Each structure stands twice: as C-alpha cells, then as structure tokens.
C-alpha cells in the first residue's frame, strides 16, 4: 500500500498554518507527559484542558456563534467552559444573546432559538 500523505497543516481563520515536525504532538498536551504508543498509529493531537483554551486565538480550535435551521439551539462562546481539567459544553434555557441570523454551518438565515449551547470547532 502507498505511504499515507500528510494532511495540510491546520489553520484558523487568517492565522498562519501550524508547522509540522516529525513526532510533533499538536493541541495542549501536558508538558513532559508520556502518551501510549500503538502499532500503525501516530498520535498527532492531545487535549488535556489543564487550563482554559483561548478560543479567539488558538491555532487549532475556535467557537461558533451559528446554529442550524433544525433544532432548538443557537451557539455562543459563553457556553463553552473549561473547569477542573475538562471542557464542558453547556446547554441553557437562556436564549443566545444578540445572535446574528447568519451561520457558516447553514446557507439559510437562522431564527432565534429558545436554547443556547456552545460549538467547539477546528
């Protein structure tokens, strides 16, 4: 079988691509930690959430303020929480504050929804 072709380096918005290096682990691994090795698998991404991720400037992750025409939620940054080494996506009965009608995930205008949640995107 042919050797796998490396994926292009990830980017977020207008940020430059993340540079690739052999053995490089992307994301937010614990400094100095050892991660399990498995034959035929190369670990490329680790997310430990030891501290909150700045979703406005992270080179891999971001948030969405969109939504879908189906369903009952609109997304907002405030509903993505980092607590106790975990990322939590909160669903709330409080509607999203000042949502726009557009969404990059949908070609239609998105109406107001009764619930709000978060969307974690790469």
């Amino acid at each position: 079988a042919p050797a796998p072709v490396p994926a292009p380096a990830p980017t977020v918005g207008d940020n430059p691509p993340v540079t690739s290096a052999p053995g490089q682990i992307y994301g937010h691994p614990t400094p100095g930690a050892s991660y399990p090795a498995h034959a035929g698998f190369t670990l490329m991404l680790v997310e430990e959430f030891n501290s909150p991720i700045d979703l406005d400037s992270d080179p891999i992750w971001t948030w969405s303020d969109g939504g879908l025409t189906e369903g009952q939620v609109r997304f907002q940054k405030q509903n993505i929480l980092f607590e106790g080494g975990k990322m939590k996506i909160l669903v709330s009965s409080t509607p999203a504050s000042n949502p726009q009608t557009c969404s990059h995930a949908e070609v239609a205008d998105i109406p107001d929804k009764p619930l709000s949640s978060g969307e974690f995107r790469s």
Side-chain angles (χ1 to χ4, degrees):
V5 176
T11 63
V12 172
D14 295 328
N15 294 337
V18 176
T19 56
S20 178
Q24 173 77 37
I25 296 177
Y26 298 100
H28 304 87
T30 299
S34 281
Y35 294 96
H38 300 280
F41 177 80
T42 302
L43 182 63
M44 296 274 309
L45 178 71
V46 171
E47 293 299 348
E48 297 288 6
F49 304 118
N50 293 323
S51 60
I53 295 174
D54 181 349
L55 296 175
D56 290 320
S57 64
D58 192 81
I60 299 173
W61 302 110
T62 191
W63 57 281
S64 169
D65 65 351
L68 301 172
T69 54
E70 66 273 8
Q72 298 184 43
V73 300
R74 288 297 307 258
F75 305 126
Q76 61 182 9
K77 179 182 175 183
Q78 297 85 341
N79 290 56
I80 303 171
L81 309 172
F82 296 93
E83 298 174 343
K86 296 181 179 359
M87 178 186 69
K88 299 177 181 180
I89 298 179
L90 173 71
V91 176
S92 171
S93 60
T94 303
S97 57
N98 302 316
Q100 298 180 8
T101 59
C102 62
S103 171
H104 291 289
E106 188 69 65
V107 294
D109 285 341
I110 309 301
D112 289 341
K113 303 286 185 161
L115 305 174
S116 63
S117 186
E119 184 179 40
F120 190 60
R121 298 180 60 140
S122 63

